[in-house]
Amino acid sequence: MTTQFRPPNMVLSTVGLSLATFMQVLDTTIANVSLPTIAGNLGVSVNQSTWVITSFAVSMAISLPLTGFLTRRFGEVKMFIWSTLLFSLASFLCGIAQSMPMLILFRAIQGAVAGPMYPVTQALLISIYPPAKRGMALALLAMVTVVAPIAGPILGGWITDNYSWPWIFFINVPIGIFASMVIGNQMKGRNDVTQRPKIDYVGLITLIVGVGALQIVLDKGNDEDWFSSTFIVVTAIVSAISLAVFLIWELTDKDPIVDLKLLRHHNFRMGTIALVLAYAAFFAIGLLVPQWLQRNLGYTSTWAGFAAAPLGILPVLLTFVVGKYATRVDLRLLASAAFLVMGITCFLRSDFFLDIDFASVALVQLLQGLGVALFFMPVTTILLSDLQPNEIAAGGGLATFLRTLGASFSASLTTFMWERRAVVHHAQLTEHITPYDPSVQAAMSHLGDAQTAPAVLNQMITQQGFQISFNEVFHVLGWIFMGLILVVWLARPPFTAKAGPAAGGH
């Protein structure tokens, strides 16, 4: 009879797995605030330096759905160890890069090996914990997923200001080596069942081209003014054709490189829809609030980070409570409460104004943290609940891939809508302003002399346009969260993530 594998030290194993995930998720945001410094040091424009972010995102988006194939071929433990070690090596190479093309290449390698790390960590955590404690393991991983992106810009800014930008990459090296050594030691008695699946070259090539091109369109669309750019049009056509071929091939091939048939599982399908849409809306909040604080309220990037940071307080404090007691209630109730709280905070932000104080912004962030604390663990448990043990790594990879793609769509769409609606509102606000209106003349006299007053007034109207647009976007996000309450109730109990010999060893 097979028994579930238990590492000699559960705490050490959990720390090793969590540290690697924290490091990987942190790197999705840590370089963002350092781009101007990196661009200056390497002698390129800030616009060119954004490829540091894009190259990482493209490579990670491509490698994520390959997780299932790679774990079947090499085993979950080997995948974790080698991904973590290669991530550390790629981070070191990023730190010593002497030119922008070198840095972009090493960031692409870093993104490629980062892809499988989160889903494999998820599968390993589920496999080593008994059913009663799996909720706690997933809650811990959820906390790491929330806190790391918040810590990234603050830590990145502090390191860049006080040391130098290469250290945002060098800090990964000892963490990655420590995590891989710990897991290698703790999991050495675990017997991963591996296969030698044939390589689906058509699926692999169309995935790389289709997802890579789509990610570039989403990342660069706003900068290039979308479909008025020939580059964006051509890239979008290439992406659409490649993804169409990929979908048809993967659904009909006997041994696909990405198992899209996992979506046949009802809870996986419903849970993934809820995860993708909720994370896309959550990502939009995380993107828009700091930008709004800096553009409209004049905050520095550091203070914008501090205003956003309270979001992580409640997830940290409530992780173990949610993990311990969540299984005693219907997980759909927890997810509904999460979406309700996050929806309410969006509606609160839809009433924000230009003179709002720091405390009010931070308080809404703190309240949203309650929703975040209740969100990831139940939704992840629901989507994994009807997968077989040998499908968990593949399912986790596919769900995380779709979540990442959803976030990319959200980032592009949110930024586009915010800026486009701001232009519309600017035009509406200036319709009735003429230099012959006595009230306008009176207002202008308080804004400065005849030379400077029109520019000051125009700047004030621009700010109001962005503020109204900001409020509109958050009103829409609020209703998206409310709608997700209906989606999550389409899932069917029981909601227990499985683990067995294939996932848990012998």
Side-chain angles (χ1 to χ4, degrees):
M1 182 179 173
T2 57
T3 56
Q4 197 172 359
F5 173 79
R6 292 279 180 272
N9 190 320
M10 288 288 280
V11 174
L12 199 56
S13 299
T14 304
V15 168
L17 290 167
S18 302
L19 267 177
T21 299
F22 183 83
M23 171 183 74
Q24 182 252 310
V25 179
L26 184 76
D27 255 57
T28 59
T29 59
I30 197 169
N32 295 18
V33 295
S34 307
L35 289 184
T37 307
I38 293 171
N41 285 9
L42 297 180
V44 298
S45 69
V46 174
N47 195 41
Q48 286 173 299
S49 74
T50 57
W51 282 100
V52 172
I53 309 298
T54 303
S55 58
F56 182 89
V58 168
S59 295
M60 193 166 80
I62 290 166
S63 65
L64 262 168
L66 299 176
T67 303
F69 172 83
L70 293 169
T71 51
R72 277 191 295 152
R73 177 66 183 82
F74 301 107
E76 290 166 359
V77 176
K78 277 186 183 172
M79 268 306 299
F80 176 88
I81 293 169
W82 282 107
S83 293
T84 308
L85 285 174
L86 289 171
F87 188 88
S88 301
L89 176 61
S91 298
F92 176 75
L93 293 172
C94 287
I96 63 169
Q98 297 297 305
S99 67
M100 186 53 69
M102 280 176 68
L103 180 57
I104 290 168
L105 171 65
F106 296 143
R107 276 286 279 178
I109 295 169
Q110 192 188 37
V113 297
M117 287 172 69
Y118 180 86
V120 169
T121 300
Q122 192 170 256
L124 286 171
L125 273 175
I126 289 170
S127 76
I128 63 175
Y129 274 87
K133 293 187 177 179
R134 270 175 214 150
M136 189 173 290
L138 289 173
L140 176 69
L141 201 58
M143 179 195 75
V144 169
T145 310
V146 172
V147 173
I150 297 168
I154 298 172
L155 188 61
W158 182 79
I159 290 171
T160 304
D161 292 342
N162 291 281
Y163 297 96
S164 60
W165 68 263
W167 282 98
I168 65 177
F169 299 113
F170 289 151
I171 58 169
N172 292 335
V173 177
I175 297 172
I177 292 171
F178 173 77
S180 54
M181 284 176 65
V182 165
I183 298 306
N185 181 56
Q186 291 293 313
M187 301 280 189
K188 62 186 175 188
R190 188 179 190 269
N191 182 21
D192 273 346
V193 177
T194 58
Q195 303 168 9
R196 295 186 72 86
K198 71 175 180 66
I199 298 176
D200 168 18
Y201 288 104
V202 175
L204 181 61
I205 292 166
T206 52
L207 172 75
I208 291 170
V209 175
V211 173
L214 176 61
Q215 191 72 41
I216 289 169
V217 168
L218 295 173
D219 273 19
K220 293 292 177 185
N222 276 314
D223 296 339
E224 302 286 338
D225 197 20
W226 291 102
F227 296 106
S228 60
S229 160
T230 306
F231 170 71
I232 293 294
V233 171
V234 172
T235 311
I237 291 169
V238 169
S239 173
I241 294 170
S242 300
L243 288 175
V245 174
F246 170 76
L247 286 171
I248 294 165
W249 185 270
E250 295 301 280
L251 288 169
T252 53
D253 192 58
K254 275 195 252 181
D255 197 7
I257 200 158
V258 179
D259 190 3
L260 297 177
K261 295 188 184 76
L262 289 171
L263 291 165
R264 72 185 183 279
H265 296 292
H266 179 79
N267 284 354
F268 181 73
R269 190 167 63 250
M270 291 299 124
T272 300
I273 291 170
L275 176 71
V276 170
L277 293 177
Y279 189 79
F282 168 67
F283 193 84
I285 297 168
L287 182 76
L288 209 52
V289 169
Q291 281 192 49
W292 167 75
L293 287 168
Q294 290 174 75
R295 177 183 277 178
N296 277 33
L297 273 61
Y299 282 43
T300 62
S301 57
T302 303
W303 276 102
F306 284 136
L311 175 68
I313 294 172
L314 289 177
V316 171
L317 297 177
L318 296 177
T319 290
F320 293 106
V321 177
V322 172
K324 188 172 182 180
Y325 298 107
T327 50
R328 300 185 186 181
V329 297
D330 190 324
L331 292 181
R332 293 172 296 184
L333 278 173
L334 272 186
S336 298
F339 296 148
L340 181 65
V341 170
M342 290 167 86
I344 288 169
T345 59
C346 287
F347 290 135
L348 288 172
R349 289 191 191 93
S350 71
D351 288 329
F352 276 6
F353 50 94
L354 289 172
D355 294 326
I356 196 165
D357 58 16
F358 178 92
S360 299
V361 176
L363 200 60
V364 174
Q365 290 291 110
L366 181 69
L367 177 60
Q368 187 190 327
L370 175 62
V372 173
L374 301 174
F375 159 46
F376 280 97
M377 178 265 168
V379 174
T380 304
T381 306
I382 287 170
L383 73 87
L384 295 175
S385 63
D386 56 0
L387 297 182
Q388 295 307 308
N390 61 338
E391 294 176 325
I392 286 177
L398 183 56
T400 308
F401 161 67
L402 293 171
R403 186 191 82 182
T404 304
L405 214 53
S408 296
F409 269 102
S410 172
S412 295
L413 194 60
T414 305
T415 308
F416 174 75
M417 288 303 298
W418 186 38
E419 292 180 353
R420 187 56 56 95
R421 293 295 297 165
V423 171
V424 171
H425 289 301
H426 184 281
Q428 290 172 342
L429 290 168
T430 53
E431 274 177 4
H432 305 293
I433 294 179
T434 72
Y436 309 108
D437 188 327
S439 60
V440 173
Q441 291 172 353
M444 296 270 275
S445 66
H446 293 292
L447 296 176
D449 57 42
Q451 300 297 318
T452 58
V456 173
L457 181 62
N458 185 62
Q459 176 61 25
M460 290 171 66
I461 294 168
T462 300
Q463 281 191 308
Q464 288 293 347
F466 273 103
Q467 185 60 56
I468 297 167
S469 179
F470 174 90
N471 295 357
E472 285 180 342
V473 170
F474 272 95
H475 197 74
V476 172
L477 290 173
W479 282 113
I480 288 172
F481 279 117
M482 293 303 173
L484 286 170
I485 295 173
L486 301 176
V487 174
V488 83
W489 280 94
L490 295 174
R492 296 191 288 256
F495 304 122
T496 306
K498 301 178 183 76
H506 290 269

